[in-house]
mmCIF file of all heavy atoms in Angstrom:
data_model
loop_
_atom_site.group_PDB
_atom_site.id
_atom_site.type_symbol
_atom_site.label_atom_id
_atom_site.label_comp_id
_atom_site.label_asym_id
_atom_site.label_seq_id
_atom_site.Cartn_x
_atom_site.Cartn_y
_atom_site.Cartn_z
ATOM 1 N N ALA A 416 236.827 154.420 295.264
ATOM 2 C CA ALA A 416 237.308 154.320 293.849
ATOM 3 C C ALA A 416 237.710 155.756 293.548
ATOM 4 O O ALA A 416 238.605 156.537 294.178
ATOM 5 C CB ALA A 416 236.390 153.690 293.031
ATOM 6 N N ASP A 417 237.399 156.259 292.376
ATOM 7 C CA ASP A 417 237.751 157.540 291.884
ATOM 8 C C ASP A 417 236.806 158.603 292.269
ATOM 9 O O ASP A 417 236.902 159.747 291.689
ATOM 10 C CB ASP A 417 238.057 157.444 290.414
ATOM 11 C CG ASP A 417 236.630 157.159 289.675
ATOM 12 O OD1 ASP A 417 235.761 156.833 290.190
ATOM 13 O OD2 ASP A 417 236.777 157.161 288.327
ATOM 14 N N ALA A 418 235.848 158.373 293.130
ATOM 15 C CA ALA A 418 234.725 159.355 293.384
ATOM 16 C C ALA A 418 235.247 160.671 293.968
ATOM 17 O O ALA A 418 234.475 161.692 293.674
ATOM 18 C CB ALA A 418 233.640 158.647 294.301
ATOM 19 N N LEU A 419 236.215 160.729 294.715
ATOM 20 C CA LEU A 419 236.618 161.922 295.390
ATOM 21 C C LEU A 419 237.838 162.529 294.645
ATOM 22 O O LEU A 419 238.259 163.630 295.135
ATOM 23 C CB LEU A 419 237.072 161.575 296.826
ATOM 24 C CG LEU A 419 235.845 161.059 297.753
ATOM 25 C CD1 LEU A 419 236.373 161.070 299.184
ATOM 26 C CD2 LEU A 419 234.611 161.865 297.629
ATOM 27 N N GLY A 420 238.330 161.928 293.535
ATOM 28 C CA GLY A 420 239.589 162.539 292.915
ATOM 29 C C GLY A 420 240.702 162.475 293.754
ATOM 30 O O GLY A 420 240.879 161.530 294.634
ATOM 31 N N SER A 421 241.593 163.431 293.605
ATOM 32 C CA SER A 421 242.850 163.368 294.387
ATOM 33 C C SER A 421 242.800 164.587 295.375
ATOM 34 O O SER A 421 242.245 165.746 295.152
ATOM 35 C CB SER A 421 244.126 163.729 293.501
ATOM 36 O OG SER A 421 244.271 162.586 292.615
ATOM 37 N N PHE A 422 243.317 164.386 296.595
ATOM 38 C CA PHE A 422 243.399 165.469 297.685
ATOM 39 C C PHE A 422 244.389 166.360 297.178
ATOM 40 O O PHE A 422 245.485 166.072 296.636
ATOM 41 C CB PHE A 422 243.773 164.791 299.027
ATOM 42 C CG PHE A 422 242.829 163.779 299.487
ATOM 43 C CD1 PHE A 422 243.347 162.585 300.114
ATOM 44 C CD2 PHE A 422 241.572 164.000 299.508
ATOM 45 C CE1 PHE A 422 242.506 161.661 300.566
ATOM 46 C CE2 PHE A 422 240.617 163.083 300.081
ATOM 47 C CZ PHE A 422 241.089 161.835 300.570
ATOM 48 N N GLY A 423 244.112 167.720 297.662
ATOM 49 C CA GLY A 423 245.059 168.680 297.436
ATOM 50 C C GLY A 423 246.352 168.540 298.451
ATOM 51 O O GLY A 423 246.164 168.346 299.622
ATOM 52 N N ASN A 424 247.603 168.591 297.951
ATOM 53 C CA ASN A 424 248.573 168.427 298.807
ATOM 54 C C ASN A 424 248.824 169.496 299.772
ATOM 55 O O ASN A 424 249.474 169.242 300.921
ATOM 56 C CB ASN A 424 249.891 168.178 297.988
ATOM 57 C CG ASN A 424 249.833 166.889 297.227
ATOM 58 O OD1 ASN A 424 249.085 166.045 297.499
ATOM 59 N ND2 ASN A 424 250.807 166.774 296.234
ATOM 60 N N ALA A 425 248.449 170.756 299.414
ATOM 61 C CA ALA A 425 248.743 171.908 300.226
ATOM 62 C C ALA A 425 247.612 172.389 301.041
ATOM 63 O O ALA A 425 247.746 172.987 302.191
ATOM 64 C CB ALA A 425 249.310 173.015 299.441
ATOM 65 N N ARG A 426 246.266 172.111 300.629
ATOM 66 C CA ARG A 426 245.153 172.552 301.305
ATOM 67 C C ARG A 426 243.947 171.722 300.800
ATOM 68 O O ARG A 426 243.952 171.142 299.706
ATOM 69 C CB ARG A 426 244.933 173.938 301.100
ATOM 70 C CG ARG A 426 244.603 174.332 299.574
ATOM 71 C CD ARG A 426 244.280 175.804 299.437
ATOM 72 N NE ARG A 426 243.655 176.138 298.128
ATOM 73 C CZ ARG A 426 243.356 177.326 297.824
ATOM 74 N NH1 ARG A 426 243.792 178.280 298.419
ATOM 75 N NH2 ARG A 426 242.772 177.448 296.589
ATOM 76 N N GLY A 427 242.987 171.729 301.701
ATOM 77 C CA GLY A 427 241.771 170.963 301.271
ATOM 78 C C GLY A 427 240.856 170.609 302.458
ATOM 79 O O GLY A 427 241.136 171.064 303.690
ATOM 80 N N VAL A 428 239.704 170.107 302.288
ATOM 81 C CA VAL A 428 238.676 169.615 303.207
ATOM 82 C C VAL A 428 238.274 168.134 302.861
ATOM 83 O O VAL A 428 238.013 167.879 301.870
ATOM 84 C CB VAL A 428 237.545 170.587 303.197
ATOM 85 C CG1 VAL A 428 236.414 170.206 304.222
ATOM 86 C CG2 VAL A 428 237.908 171.985 303.436
ATOM 87 N N VAL A 429 238.207 167.448 303.970
ATOM 88 C CA VAL A 429 237.625 166.088 303.790
ATOM 89 C C VAL A 429 236.641 165.764 305.077
ATOM 90 O O VAL A 429 236.861 166.436 306.134
ATOM 91 C CB VAL A 429 238.663 164.972 303.864
ATOM 92 C CG1 VAL A 429 239.365 164.849 305.096
ATOM 93 C CG2 VAL A 429 238.176 163.604 303.233
ATOM 94 N N GLY A 430 235.568 165.185 304.748
ATOM 95 C CA GLY A 430 234.613 164.924 305.942
ATOM 96 C C GLY A 430 233.703 163.761 305.698
ATOM 97 O O GLY A 430 233.759 163.075 304.586
ATOM 98 N N ILE A 431 232.745 163.593 306.648
ATOM 99 C CA ILE A 431 231.745 162.562 306.556
ATOM 100 C C ILE A 431 230.445 163.080 307.146
ATOM 101 O O ILE A 431 230.485 163.883 308.045
ATOM 102 C CB ILE A 431 232.154 161.229 307.213
ATOM 103 C CG1 ILE A 431 231.112 160.197 307.097
ATOM 104 C CG2 ILE A 431 232.430 161.501 308.739
ATOM 105 C CD1 ILE A 431 231.649 158.772 307.585
ATOM 106 N N LYS A 432 229.292 162.765 306.471
ATOM 107 C CA LYS A 432 228.025 163.345 306.905
ATOM 108 C C LYS A 432 226.879 162.288 306.610
ATOM 109 O O LYS A 432 227.115 161.356 305.923
ATOM 110 C CB LYS A 432 227.740 164.788 306.251
ATOM 111 C CG LYS A 432 227.577 164.538 304.644
ATOM 112 C CD LYS A 432 227.255 165.944 304.067
ATOM 113 C CE LYS A 432 227.181 165.756 302.493
ATOM 114 N NZ LYS A 432 226.861 167.160 301.873
ATOM 115 N N CYS A 433 225.813 162.692 307.067
ATOM 116 C CA CYS A 433 224.556 161.825 306.843
ATOM 117 C C CYS A 433 223.451 162.835 306.749
ATOM 118 O O CYS A 433 223.096 163.509 307.692
ATOM 119 C CB CYS A 433 224.218 160.877 307.934
ATOM 120 S SG CYS A 433 222.844 159.705 307.661
ATOM 121 N N GLY A 434 222.836 162.869 305.475
ATOM 122 C CA GLY A 434 221.729 163.872 305.183
ATOM 123 C C GLY A 434 222.391 165.279 305.398
ATOM 124 O O GLY A 434 223.314 165.664 304.856
ATOM 125 N N MET A 435 221.631 166.126 306.151
ATOM 126 C CA MET A 435 222.066 167.474 306.451
ATOM 127 C C MET A 435 223.086 167.553 307.610
ATOM 128 O O MET A 435 223.478 168.646 307.975
ATOM 129 C CB MET A 435 220.855 168.300 306.726
ATOM 130 C CG MET A 435 219.964 168.425 305.528
ATOM 131 S SD MET A 435 220.587 169.047 303.923
ATOM 132 C CE MET A 435 220.827 170.711 304.541
ATOM 133 N N THR A 436 223.393 166.421 308.273
ATOM 134 C CA THR A 436 224.192 166.436 309.510
ATOM 135 C C THR A 436 225.660 166.151 309.124
ATOM 136 O O THR A 436 225.829 164.970 308.676
ATOM 137 C CB THR A 436 223.656 165.381 310.550
ATOM 138 O OG1 THR A 436 222.310 165.800 310.837
ATOM 139 C CG2 THR A 436 224.525 165.488 311.766
#
Side-chain angles (χ1 to χ4, degrees):
D417 61 353
L419 300 186
S421 294
F422 298 134
N424 291 345
R426 67 181 195 183
V428 180
V429 70
I431 184 168
K432 64 182 181 179
C433 187
M435 300 299 292
T436 301

